[in-house]
Amino acid sequence: MITASILTIGDELLIGQVIDTNSAFIAENLNLQGVSVKRILSVSDSIEEIISGLNICSDSQIIISTGGLGPTRDDITKDAMCKYFNTKLVRNNEVLKNIENLLNNRGIQNLNENNRKQSDVPESATVLENNNGTAPGLLFEKNDSVFVFLPGVPNEMKALVTKKVIPIINVKFRNQAVVHRTIHTFGSFEAILAETLDDWVTNLPENIKPAFLPSAGLIRIRLTGIGSDKAELEHLIDVEVEKLFDIIPDIIFSTKGENLEEVVGKLLLEKKLTLATAESCTGGSIASIITSIPGSSSYYKGSIVAYSNDVKTNLLKVNSNDIENHGAVSEIVVKQMAENVKTLLNTDYGVASSGIAGPDGGTANKPVGTIWIAVAGPKQTVCKQYSFGKQREFNIRRSVLTALNLLREMLVNN
Amino acid sequence: MITASILTIGDELLIGQVIDTNSAFIAENLNLQGVSVKRILSVSDSIEEIISGLNICSDSQIIISTGGLGPTRDDITKDAMCKYFNTKLVRNNEVLKNIENLLNNRGIQNLNENNRKQSDVPESATVLENNNGTAPGLLFEKNDSVFVFLPGVPNEMKALVTKKVIPIINVKFRNQAVVHRTIHTFGSFEAILAETLDDWVTNLPENIKPAFLPSAGLIRIRLTGIGSDKAELEHLIDVEVEKLFDIIPDIIFSTKGENLEEVVGKLLLEKKLTLATAESCTGGSIASIITSIPGSSSYYKGSIVAYSNDVKTNLLKVNSNDIENHGAVSEIVVKQMAENVKTLLNTDYGVASSGIAGPDGGTANKPVGTIWIAVAGPKQTVCKQYSFGKQREFNIRRSVLTALNLLREMLVNN
């Protein structure tokens, strides 16, 4: 099987200022081509460390590097390339023309020397044109390995991987079939799920490997098959997924790798239903995740983010006596929020959240992490109380997913 | 200077299913202690690859590893430790008791064998108690290096790093001073900023290194000083930041590493002003980013996410003729959205967005990426049109930041 290493370059990664999201994108796309990623390595903007990183990665047939190609002085990846591949920088007129066009389109007529310097490329490199930015991709071959250097700006890197790098890899290497399938579940604990599925795991075919990936109530079960025959692998995995549906039918919400927001969106679209939300503690995050899906305007009409109590009473028409007597974090309030937003925005479903995300605002009766979620549908309103944890970010995230899952359950059953 | 390597373990990282956020947290915390992170390495759940990774990292004095300690079968990090440190697994009764307590608190009385197996630890390891989960941290010493293995679940890892690992490092190693300062700017381009600051970069003291980090209109300028005297480094950096304010006063919004949402929040809090938002294309993301800040309920009252036009007219009271004649993505509509939400929610400021995030919905006159942002304040309303790009996620993110920055400018000037 063809193996790859990913090398990301930048001091910002090593001081923890920036999270490396490029590697996951590259790894996913290599994997889909049947290329096995052996390692992901991040090193600093230092010629010595970059060369040491290239040496470590050179046991792979494909090495993809990102970062350090910008116009500023801390970007020294091209100098490291020259040293590693024993070549020198020369000005490339096609790259220069591309930079001129790009900056002209952005309203910049006169290039400065920093812009021009981005058209200096190592003499022995093949240039991969970058249509979205000024730093081109660069490709080298050495000892049967292919080394590709890409800019670190995510949208530039992504376009270059998809349009240039993957086609080159497909021509150059013939690969073994790899099939991944991810079953998404919501609402169990990892150790409990592991016990429930113990026999199933034991009896998996030898070339199908499982993994369990937990995150804020979501547990993804990933099956990976490796072999010569893709269709056979797909079939073997189909059979195992069927078995899962017999063991844990209630908690599976997708076998196609879809997120909760995609599944909910598809259900609403299929059933021609509409949705509105009324958010307190989640502060717009439910709306934000729903509208992250392209085309969500077909089923999602909007949200009232009622962060303050007077927005709850004035705009959402929640009874102010109920807020006074029971508090904003209560069943009676969250129920009215869901039902009233459904009426006000004239939708089939209304979803509401009210809780104490923290770090402050908790009391003895209602500690930080107390969250009410309500879903109002055509026939009934369901309200549930949860106790999550002490961390604001986690509480918001978990509330959003719980609300989506409660809506999903109602959509499936109604 | 003391160096560290971070080793993250898990197939999910190498197939790109999960983004490694643990490394950035660990790197940031090590850096704050004056420990220089030399590399971040991710390898698969394979004993061979874990041992190879440990060998690569063993040139550092500190090696921190996360992942692969869970109760499921794909987690084999403990077996790799036994092989690498030449020891064997033994059941640890204190760890077992901790697991029992933890699961009892979650309402689970009877431990299964998967739970119990988590109390098997390598005989030569020092156990770091995990108060948030069932897998303990494990520490080894070998050839003057300290190896620490932590669970991959973020909140468990974070508590162990902060409460156990950092204190141990501080006792064991005496370190050099490192000072980071990040100046946040919004609204320039990297190459233009690089040219503007060319002289400033040239004249930086030798022990102060700059870096430029661009992302969706934000460019962060990071200064890093390394030396024996922390106070002197702080002073040198203060002087350079002062010079920056002379060169680019308009685009700097923070010198304390704060995000736009924090800066805007502080301004509103200081001036005792309140805010409401009315969102179309950003679909709740402005509300979500504002309410990600603890205590935002002091100045933020809420949002009307008017994703559909009838929510714009019925709830936000936008004139329906204006929508018909000018379209929802127009100056006249976004202006009414900002002004009306300010009136309806009775706040000092109103911020609104209306645009075409894509991938569909563009026309010849209003292509995908056309976004209107409005800020209504006590004295005036400012509306601006922008042309971003073709990518939905980027357009939403950039719109959110642009809206926050426009609000910030008005708050600073008013």
Side-chain angles (χ1 to χ4, degrees), chain A residues 78-317:
Chain A
K78 283 198 288 198
D79 300 327
M81 284 179 221
C82 287
K83 210 162 169 190
Y84 188 76
F85 297 105
N86 195 22
T87 182
K88 64 177 199 293
L89 291 179
V90 291
R91 187 143 299 187
N92 182 308
N93 284 325
E94 279 182 38
V95 175
L96 185 60
K97 200 171 260 175
N98 184 45
I99 295 172
E100 282 171 350
N101 287 338
L102 211 98
L103 295 181
N104 287 348
N105 284 341
R106 291 184 187 167
I108 299 165
Q109 294 302 329
N110 297 316
L111 271 62
N112 64 30
E113 186 49 27
N114 269 319
N115 298 136
R116 280 197 203 91
K117 257 169 54 189
Q118 292 207 283
S119 64
D120 294 343
V121 300
E123 198 166 22
S124 65
T126 305
V127 170
L128 309 177
E129 192 184 333
N130 177 358
N131 298 316
N132 302 294
T134 47
L138 297 164
L139 182 148
F140 299 83
E141 303 199 28
K142 185 179 176 178
N143 305 336
D144 296 329
S145 292
V146 173
F147 293 77
V148 179
F149 295 84
L150 303 174
V153 183
N155 69 321
E156 300 178 25
M157 177 279 297
K158 285 180 185 176
L160 279 163
V161 166
T162 315
K163 289 180 190 153
K164 304 279 160 86
V165 180
I166 295 295
I168 290 170
I169 287 172
N170 272 335
V171 170
K172 215 171 155 56
F173 302 99
R174 297 192 137 273
N175 304 314
Q176 236 189 333
V178 179
V179 176
H180 293 295
R181 187 84 55 86
T182 306
I183 297 92
H184 287 212
T185 75
F186 189 87
S188 186
F189 294 98
E190 195 188 3
I192 291 173
L193 194 63
E195 195 185 20
T196 311
L197 298 180
D198 197 47
D199 284 346
W200 175 78
V201 169
T202 307
N203 293 314
L204 282 172
E206 225 171 78
N207 56 345
I208 308 288
K209 276 177 59 182
F212 292 83
L213 311 165
S215 147
L218 281 172
I219 302 175
R220 287 166 294 170
I221 305 165
R222 192 192 61 234
L223 294 174
T224 303
I226 298 181
S228 54
D229 185 341
K230 193 171 177 179
E232 193 196 311
L233 291 171
E234 294 277 9
H235 173 71
L236 284 174
I237 289 179
D238 283 344
V239 171
E240 295 307 322
V241 172
E242 274 309 305
K243 289 184 197 161
L244 272 186
F245 270 104
D246 290 335
I247 314 171
I248 46 165
D250 293 338
I251 63 169
I252 296 176
F253 68 83
S254 173
T255 59
K256 295 172 190 157
E258 296 152 319
N259 294 322
L260 271 171
E261 57 271 27
E262 291 173 272
V263 171
V264 164
K266 279 193 180 171
L267 283 168
L268 290 165
L269 208 57
E270 270 165 27
K271 296 176 182 244
K272 295 195 170 114
L273 295 167
T274 56
L275 174 68
T277 52
E279 307 189 46
S280 184
C281 64
T282 52
S285 292
I286 301 177
S288 172
I289 202 171
I290 290 170
T291 58
S292 72
I293 305 297
S296 47
S297 56
S298 309
Y299 49 82
Y300 185 65
K301 291 183 113 181
S303 185
I304 296 177
V305 180
Y307 218 56
S308 75
N309 282 345
D310 57 318
V311 176
K312 289 188 187 77
T313 52
N314 294 338
L315 207 64
L316 253 180
K317 312 296 179 200

Side-chain angles (χ1 to χ4, degrees), chain B residues 198-210:
Chain B
D198 197 44
D199 284 346
W200 175 80
V201 169
T202 307
N203 294 314
L204 281 172
E206 225 171 79
N207 56 345
I208 308 288
K209 276 176 61 181

